Amino acid sequence: ALQLNPSPQQKIRIRLALADKYAALSDKKKTYDDLWEIIDENPDYPRKFDIMKRLLDLAIAIGDKNEITRCVSAMQKFAPARN
């Protein structure tokens, strides 16, 4: 489906569905990589912080300290503004 030139919104939905399928198969690394694709391909995605929280949980589960640091740094950049 990703090779059929979907719209940006369709691509996000496809990637989220893929991430859910990978998660159901307990493939944390593929889930992690797929979610990062959403972040990398869609810098203005409004729910980016929600995906970052999910990425952080996956990085912790994978046990990769560099990726944990990467997620925390990105979360600090993308955190919703407090009023």
Side-chain angles (χ1 to χ4, degrees):
L2 289 172
Q3 296 172 349
L4 298 174
N5 295 323
S7 71
Q9 200 60 29
Q10 288 171 323
K11 203 171 189 179
I12 291 169
R13 285 194 297 272
I14 292 166
R15 288 215 176 273
L16 287 171
L18 277 173
D20 289 341
K21 290 198 182 296
Y22 292 141
L25 295 171
S26 298
D27 193 335
K28 293 176 180 73
K29 182 65 174 136
K30 280 188 180 177
T31 306
Y32 184 84
D33 292 341
D34 198 63
L35 290 172
W36 263 114
E37 286 294 322
I38 295 171
I39 299 297
D40 291 340
E41 293 173 355
N42 303 281
D44 297 328
Y45 183 60
R47 297 191 57 212
K48 190 182 301 187
F49 191 75
D50 294 335
I51 292 175
M52 292 307 309
K53 289 190 289 188
R54 191 169 170 192
L55 282 165
L56 179 59
D57 290 341
L58 286 164
I60 291 168
I62 293 167
D64 187 326
K65 291 180 183 180
N66 290 330
E67 291 302 318
I68 293 169
T69 301
R70 177 184 180 197
C71 289
V72 169
S73 295
M75 286 178 80
Q76 289 171 339
K77 268 195 333 193
F78 304 133
R82 291 186 177 184
N83 293 332

